[in-house]
Amino acid sequence: MMMPADPDTDAARLREMLAHALAEKGVLTDPGWRAAVETVPRHRFVPGYYLPADDRDEHGLTVWEPVTAELDYGRWLSNAYSDTTLINQFDGDEPDWKNPQARRGGAPTSSSTLPSLVLRMWTDADVQEGHTVLEIGTGTGYSTALACERLGSADVTSIEVDSRRLDQAASALYACGYTPTLAVADGLYGYWPEAKADRIVAACSFRAVPPALLAQARPGGKILLTLSGWLYGYARVLLTVAQDGTAEGPLLPGTVSFMPARTHAAPAFGNPAHWTADLPEKARVARHSPARITAATEEAFHLRFLAQCAAPDAQMTTVGDVMHLVDVVTGSAATLTPTDGRWEVREGGPLKVWDRIERVLDAYDAAGSPGPETFTLHVYEGGQHLRHPQMPSLRLPRP
């Protein structure tokens, strides 16, 4: 489809529609953020992206179709102003957007996060005029642009681990008139030249809170980030940093996930059959179904994170009907097999991985199924502990 001479003309109307839709959802109540959504041209930050095809390929893999203005102007522009995450990189490979090809499978490594979540992050972090902000994970630069529009570019610093991503984001930002401080840096270590910040907001996830971020926040400052892990459990936490450099804060409700910081991504664990070949033949009956942590429910989303805290080095995969749990650090493994309407567990190695998870599920049930917001994360020199008044403390892995 032929592109019009000025796509910005069409985009202005679409921005107003997006702002109205987000306001209807209740995520755009602040007039300043609404003005930012109505002003920032998201399409300039996503010249190309992928959307999933309706059908999978013959191997069951998702087929990702490239979308650009040259390929389909209407589809490209309308989706740029939908409340959708737009993926623009897989497995760290930068696409050739002049000749884009469909992809099959792969792990997304960069995207433009759906606008409602971007705004939710900024508002949950209580970002206000006069605050200096450090954003971890520039990505396409759209979120950065919203912050610059709301706060002014001088108060915004954004870092990105992928230099190619940052180059493209910088070009889009500067072309739109935004001039934040930008740097190629690993979010695990923050960005010392611009310390200290009133607010630190991460658009990637970490296995534990990076200590460098606490050191780079002002006393009384807040850090909003997503905790994740190798079981793909997620929880968002809003920490307030104390004068002595410690921090604490609640988990936030909802089901939000972010791509992991690349240094915190799960390692490959090989063939699960190799891990489980030496498990004892004798099995026990599981007290809990694995559906407790795998079901597509908000409770299971929360429970998977708690299970992950109990077994932070475990990974999980299902082959046929059998669930495999593999601990790549200790060599421990477990299988859960459905048998006559129940689940049977075989475990081996230094850690009884499923037993650890079941003990957390037992405690959760005994406490009356407490929601995320009833848990508090404490971060101090001695470690990072997730606490609840009616449950045993859970320790996060070393960052």
Side-chain angles (χ1 to χ4, degrees), residues 121 163 221 306:
M121 296 289 285
S163 60
L306 298 182

Side-chain angles (χ1 to χ4, degrees), residues 15 38 141 145 165 177 213 230 263 297 322 334 351 354 357:
R15 282 197 300 275
E38 292 175 341
R165 288 279 89 222
L213 301 188
W230 299 346
T263 47
T297 65
V322 181
L351 301 177
W354 187 248
I357 292 173

Side-chain angles (χ1 to χ4, degrees), residues 274-349:
H274 295 165
W275 289 87
T276 58
D278 295 327
L279 291 181
E281 291 187 13
K282 186 176 181 180
R284 69 172 176 85
V285 177
R287 299 193 303 277
H288 298 276
S289 162
R292 292 291 305 274
I293 63 172
T294 61
T297 65
E298 192 162 332
E299 181 181 56
F301 187 93
H302 173 44
L303 284 176
R304 186 182 288 220
F305 177 74
L306 298 182
Q308 182 176 271
C309 292
D313 299 320
Q315 297 185 63
M316 178 172 57
T317 187
T318 300
V319 180
D321 292 332
V322 181
M323 175 183 284
H324 297 260
L325 290 159
V326 172
D327 187 313
V328 298
V329 174
T330 68
S332 303
T335 62
L336 287 97
T337 306
T339 306
D340 298 328
R342 64 186 185 184
W343 288 86
E344 292 190 343
V345 185
R346 295 164 59 222
E347 297 184 278

Side-chain angles (χ1 to χ4, degrees), residues 49-243:
Y49 53 85
Y50 291 96
L51 291 176
D54 293 335
D55 300 316
R56 293 176 178 264
D57 71 3
E58 65 274 16
H59 302 294
L61 297 175
T62 300
V63 178
W64 295 94
E65 299 175 339
V67 181
T68 66
E70 290 73 21
L71 290 172
D72 188 332
Y73 172 77
R75 187 185 190 199
W76 166 72
L77 193 63
S78 63
N79 279 289
Y81 291 98
S82 65
D83 191 26
T84 306
T85 292
L86 304 174
I87 298 170
N88 49 27
Q89 188 190 79
F90 290 87
D91 302 318
D93 298 328
E94 195 64 29
D96 176 8
W97 289 114
K98 293 181 180 179
N99 184 31
Q101 303 297 317
R103 292 191 61 106
R104 284 163 173 77
T109 48
S110 183
S111 67
S112 177
T113 303
L114 67 163
S116 61
L117 179 52
V118 170
L119 292 160
R120 184 174 168 188
M121 296 289 285
W122 289 128
T123 55
D124 282 349
D126 190 28
V127 173
Q128 303 287 342
E129 288 90 344
H131 283 160
T132 54
V133 172
L134 171 62
E135 178 189 41
I136 298 172
T138 312
T140 64
Y142 176 66
S143 173
T144 316
L146 289 174
C148 290
E149 183 66 35
R150 180 76 168 81
L151 305 173
S153 296
D155 288 329
V156 178
T157 297
S158 186
I159 62 174
E160 170 62 50
V161 72
D162 188 321
S163 60
R164 297 164 300 177
R165 288 279 89 222
L166 190 69
D167 284 345
Q168 294 187 32
S171 296
L173 284 162
Y174 297 152
C176 292
Y178 302 116
T179 57
T181 298
L182 300 172
V184 177
D186 189 333
L188 191 63
Y189 307 104
Y191 192 61
W192 280 102
E194 293 296 320
K196 293 185 176 186
D198 296 300
R199 298 290 186 269
I200 298 176
V201 177
C204 60
S205 61
F206 298 94
R207 296 185 73 203
V209 181
L213 301 188
L214 270 64
Q216 291 176 45
R218 299 184 192 280
K222 295 182 179 180
I223 302 172
L224 178 67
L225 53 76
T226 302
L227 299 170
S228 65
W230 299 346
L231 285 181
Y232 298 100
Y234 298 89
R236 288 193 310 147
V237 63
L238 180 62
L239 297 167
T240 300
V241 180
Q243 188 74 39

